[in-house]
Structure formats: C-alpha cells, structure tokens
Amino acid sequence: MVSEINTRAGFVALAGRPNVGKSTLVNAIVGRKVAIVSDKPQTTRRAIRGVVTRDDAQLVLTDLPGVQRPLDNLTERMQRRVERELSETDVALLVLNAEQGVGPGDRWIAKALQGASCPVVIAVNKVDRLDRPHVVAALQAAAELGVGDDIFPISARKGTGVEPLAEHLFGLVPASPFLFDPAESSDLSPYVHLAELIREQILRRTFKEVPHAVEVVVEDVVADRDDLTVIHARAWVETESQKGILVGAGGKMIRAIGTAARKELERELGTKVHLDLVVRVRRGWRGDEGLLDRLGFDV
C-alpha cells in the first residue's frame, strides 16, 4: 500500500531581466539574505536557491541570473543555466520592474514562457515607487504579455504584497516530500555564500567594467575562538588597471570594501570577523573554462 504524501514541495524559478529585483524578492520570501543585492546587472551569476519551509509545504526558490545576450564564456554558462532551470521547474515566476515598464527583454522572456509546461505567475515589482494610475498601467502591461493567469503587485524591498504571492506559490507546488532539510535556507556552500557577501560590497562601490570583471573566492575560514572568525579571501580581476581601481589610492577603496564586508560577515556569522582580503589579477578569467569549473559555474 502506497502511503499518502501529506506535504507539498517544489521548485520556483524566478525569471526576469537583470536588475528587476529577483534577489531582493527571494530574500524577502525566505526571510533572510541568501542572495546578494546591488543595482549592477550580472549581480546574480549562479542559480541561487533559497529554501522556505512551513509546516506542510516547502518552496525552493531559484534566483536565476538575469536573462541577457551571452557576451563571454561566463555569460554563456549563465544563460544555459537559466534555460535548464526553467525547463525543470515546477513553477515559473516572471518578475517585472513596474518603474521601468514592460520592454523588449520582458516580452522575449514571456514568449519563452508561453510554451512552459508549468504554471507561470507574474510579480510586478517596485510598485511602491509609483502612484496608483501608474501601478494600474503596469499591471495592464503585464497582463498584455499573454503569459500566466495570476499577477501580483509587490514591493520586494518593503515587503508589500510578498506574503500573498508566497501563499499562492505554496499552493502551486505539487504533493511531495520536502526537498531540503527544513532548517536550511540556501543551497550555497558556506564559503561561496561568504564570498558573495564580500562581492556585494565591491559591486556597491565600483563602476564601469570593474563589477563585471570581479570574482571573490574565500580560501579559508578559521574559527579557533568562539568570538572571532578569520576569513582569507581573494578578489580576482582581469587587468592591472582594475586592480588599481579596486585597491584605490593608498589602499583607501579596498579598506572601505573590507570594513563594509566585515560588518556583513559578522552579521551572518554572529562573531567578530578579521577579513584578509587581497586583490589579484587573473587575465581573462571569465573565458577560462577550467577556472569557471572550479568556481562552480555550471555548464
């Protein structure tokens, strides 16, 4: 006799153009930071899974890289990961930016989702920045995309509308045992998560080509004392000029990054943190297939 499954669980893939607020929305639903946030495109490079579990249901939220035209081996891998995740998900959540309106990129993604075998839901984000007539217009534009039966106006930053959206998503995932331990909130390894928190502070302080050329690797974490964690990390860039920008005159920039990153790391770990952050040049790392494999960027 087959036992009845009394729980629901499934994957929800968030699709959208770069910088529409997918990472902020994942963090808001999970209730803690599992994905870094900045105003730079390509902030999310990996398909980061946030896990939120209630008594009888579990959502595994996949924060996909923003859909874009591949520019190098790194972005090609990001794009292939997006396509694969969308083909395997239980629910697709298309996130739009109400402030920017619907553009060609949104229409391209919506067209790709029209043939999806899973339910499609639309979240129109950043409605807190618009007055009511403009919110109505944004919702109408979302409806005209012709994909998905349900549209939710939300503000991921403020939390407005996030709970009703999450409740709806819980109702769409299939009957299933839990896919992750209920105590888990992300599938990122601890070292990668700490590296991402450091990279977030670099993204917030650098411009032009530097944010896209930087990758952070945590090489070692030492916690010999209960009240202190020592983290050794390397920030890789592609050119000496990028290194100069990241270090700054007299080391001013890297010190500012280190100070801000240390605060985030201390909040995450619950201890004092000593951060050893060194900048190194690795020319063309975004095109180095072997290095991308070692950094965990799936093909």
Side-chain angles (χ1 to χ4, degrees):
M1 180 177 178
V2 178
S3 60
E4 182 181 353
I5 298 175
N6 296 317
T7 56
R8 306 171 67 88
F11 291 91
V12 179
L14 283 75
R17 290 184 290 118
N19 201 30
V20 296
K22 299 186 298 298
S23 298
T24 304
L25 179 54
V26 168
N27 293 339
I29 296 176
V30 173
R32 66 180 292 262
K33 180 182 283 190
V34 296
I36 65 172
V37 177
S38 90
D39 59 358
K40 308 291 194 305
Q42 283 192 32
T43 296
T44 301
R45 288 174 170 167
R46 298 167 173 84
I48 297 170
R49 293 191 177 98
V51 182
V52 55
T53 305
R54 298 184 180 178
D55 289 342
D56 61 349
Q58 183 179 77
L59 296 179
V60 183
L61 301 157
T62 306
D63 179 17
L64 299 175
V67 176
Q68 60 189 315
R69 179 172 61 87
L71 302 173
D72 48 41
N73 287 355
L74 173 60
T75 51
E76 284 179 6
R77 288 184 178 222
M78 290 161 58
Q79 187 63 24
R80 288 198 295 270
R81 183 67 184 265
V82 168
E83 293 167 357
R84 185 170 73 252
E85 292 282 349
L86 286 174
S87 71
E88 298 173 351
T89 194
D90 296 297
V91 181
L93 177 58
L94 173 58
V95 184
L96 306 175
N97 184 334
E99 195 174 29
Q100 294 179 350
V102 171
D106 300 308
R107 296 187 185 93
W108 186 87
I109 300 168
K111 185 176 180 180
L113 291 175
Q114 284 176 349
S117 58
C118 64
V120 178
V121 178
I122 298 178
V124 182
N125 191 25
K126 306 185 183 183
V127 295
D128 56 306
R129 302 181 182 183
L130 302 176
D131 58 23
R132 183 171 179 80
H134 285 93
V135 170
V136 171
L139 296 176
Q140 180 62 35
E144 291 172 357
L145 288 173
V147 60
D149 297 321
D150 303 286
I151 301 173
F152 289 80
I154 67 165
S155 169
R157 181 173 63 93
K158 291 188 173 181
T160 307
V162 171
E163 184 63 25
L165 172 61
E167 287 289 348
H168 185 68
L169 296 174
F170 273 112
L172 291 178
V173 294
S176 167
F178 287 165
L179 303 170
F180 285 80
D181 186 308
E184 294 184 32
S185 59
S186 175
D187 70 338
L188 280 184
S189 74
Y191 275 30
V192 172
H193 182 54
L194 297 177
E196 286 288 271
L197 293 177
I198 298 169
R199 186 168 70 92
E200 179 180 42
Q201 300 308 316
I202 294 174
L203 293 177
R204 291 184 175 182
R205 289 165 177 79
T206 55
F207 305 94
K208 296 184 179 179
E209 82 280 3
V210 176
H212 309 293
V214 172
E215 179 62 14
V216 176
V217 178
V218 168
E219 297 184 337
D220 196 19
V221 177
V222 181
D224 291 336
R225 289 166 39 188
D226 291 340
D227 62 341
L228 178 67
T229 303
V230 179
I231 297 175
H232 300 277
R234 301 294 175 264
W236 294 101
V237 292
E238 292 188 318
T239 67
E240 290 291 342
S241 63
Q242 292 165 356
K243 178 180 178 180
I245 293 171
L246 202 55
V247 172
K252 184 177 180 180
M253 175 65 80
I254 198 65
R255 284 197 299 271
I257 290 168
T259 298
R262 190 178 69 249
K263 292 178 180 178
E264 285 295 314
L265 296 167
E266 289 177 343
R267 188 177 295 114
E268 177 68 21
L269 296 173
T271 70
K272 291 291 185 181
V273 168
H274 172 75
L275 176 60
D276 168 34
L277 179 59
V278 178
V279 184
R280 293 284 185 260
V281 176
R282 178 137 186 175
R283 298 187 183 280
W285 73 263
R286 285 178 289 179
D288 185 333
E289 295 284 3
L291 179 60
L292 293 175
D293 286 339
R294 291 193 295 276
L295 290 175
F297 292 106
D298 292 347
V299 178

